[in-house]
Amino acid sequence: MRVVDVNRILGPVPAADVPSRDVPGLVDELDRLAIDAACVVHSLSLHYDPVMPVGVPSHPRLFGVPVVVPGPLGTPAPSDARLVRMCPAEHRFTMTGPQGLGLARELAERNITVLLGWESTSPGGIHHLASEVPSLRIVLINTGYRALRELAELMDAHREVRVDTSGLCGHLQVEWTANRYGAHRVLFGTGAPETDDAGPRFQLDHLELPETDVELIAGGNVLELLG
């Protein structure tokens, strides 16, 4: 079973000195928890300036995830991107405005998947976006256990909406989601170091699901998205 974290941060983070501030420290953290690879967004692009050219250093176990922003003051998706992150609240743009929808349509046409933080927008905004661009694959990350009803409503309505496990920490919550929507719509993710990584990794080893479903959640789904 390959374990691939779809939701990881590289670089310094506010108010904490974390091992993953550089590549060697991050790789050591992956080794500690038996995680084979990670999709990594740089903290400077996430929290500071997405326009500033900060890339993820080349490493065979790390897949760089660029932060994209719509409009003339934003950042387009690189030509080789398969997975990007959008942060409307942090970077002050509207996902469902003309520029946001334009970028979403472009990403869908290019077969690029979007990581979208739960607290970076609203359930209504996600519903609007997924309704306007139904072919856009969206992975909702850091949902939190209190969001299950809102998450379920979105996943019921939009088949291309997926979720990572970083916030599915309630009792049998991953199992419920996988059984209702299919394991292909659930991806292992931690959100580390801003959220806990040991909990989701421990949970992965103890899921009450068929082995084939666990393999999809652990890494198969994200590897398919990455091509």
Side-chain angles (χ1 to χ4, degrees), residues 88-113:
E90 294 86 341
H91 297 141
R92 305 295 181 182
F93 66 88
T94 305
M95 289 285 298
T96 53
Q99 294 175 348
L101 289 175
L103 178 57
R105 293 187 182 100
E106 177 191 340
L107 296 175
E109 290 172 0
R110 292 172 57 188
N111 202 31
I112 297 174
T113 302

Side-chain angles (χ1 to χ4, degrees), residues 107-165:
L107 296 175
E109 290 172 0
R110 292 172 57 188
N111 202 31
I112 297 174
T113 302
V114 175
L115 297 180
L116 186 58
W118 185 256
E119 295 186 353
S120 190
T121 182
S122 67
I126 297 165
H127 173 64
H128 186 175
L129 175 66
S131 299
E132 290 288 335
V133 193
S135 61
L136 178 66
R137 286 192 303 265
I138 301 170
V139 180
L140 298 175
I141 58 175
N142 307 329
T143 54
Y145 68 93
R146 292 185 179 90
L148 184 58
R149 289 189 179 92
E150 295 164 308
L151 174 65
E153 184 176 32
L154 289 167
M155 295 187 73
D156 275 335
H158 306 289
R159 65 181 184 180
E160 293 298 344
V161 170
R162 294 157 168 80
V163 66
D164 87 332
T165 63

Side-chain angles (χ1 to χ4, degrees), residues 1-180:
M1 181 177 74
R2 290 201 68 189
V3 180
V4 182
D5 187 345
V6 74
N7 175 17
R8 196 94 188 188
I9 299 171
L10 170 68
V13 298
D17 183 16
V18 294
S20 56
R21 61 186 174 274
D22 55 29
V23 169
L26 173 56
V27 172
D28 285 346
E29 288 292 284
L30 299 182
D31 288 339
R32 182 176 65 87
L33 294 174
I35 297 174
D36 297 298
C39 299
V40 177
V41 62
H42 201 285
S43 62
L44 295 180
S45 297
L46 187 63
H47 293 297
Y48 178 53
D49 184 3
V51 179
M52 185 173 62
V54 178
V56 173
S58 178
H59 191 281
R61 293 172 63 184
L62 304 180
F63 301 96
V65 179
V67 175
V68 297
V69 179
L73 299 178
T75 56
S79 59
D80 59 347
R82 296 299 302 273
L83 184 67
V84 299
R85 184 158 174 176
M86 299 182 78
C87 310
E90 294 86 341
H91 297 141
R92 305 295 181 182
F93 66 88
T94 305
M95 289 285 298
T96 53
Q99 294 175 348
L101 289 175
L103 178 57
R105 293 187 182 100
E106 177 191 340
L107 296 175
E109 290 172 0
R110 292 172 57 188
N111 202 31
I112 297 174
T113 302
V114 175
L115 297 180
L116 186 58
W118 185 256
E119 295 186 353
S120 190
T121 182
S122 67
I126 297 165
H127 173 64
H128 186 175
L129 175 66
S131 299
E132 290 288 335
V133 193
S135 61
L136 178 66
R137 286 192 303 265
I138 301 170
V139 180
L140 298 175
I141 58 175
N142 307 329
T143 54
Y145 68 93
R146 292 185 179 90
L148 184 58
R149 289 189 179 92
E150 295 164 308
L151 174 65
E153 184 176 32
L154 289 167
M155 295 187 73
D156 275 335
H158 306 289
R159 65 181 184 180
E160 293 298 344
V161 170
R162 294 157 168 80
V163 66
D164 87 332
T165 63
S166 62
L168 298 181
C169 53
H171 179 58
L172 298 180
Q173 195 165 335
V174 172
E175 289 88 340
W176 183 89
T177 306
N179 286 327
R180 182 173 178 87

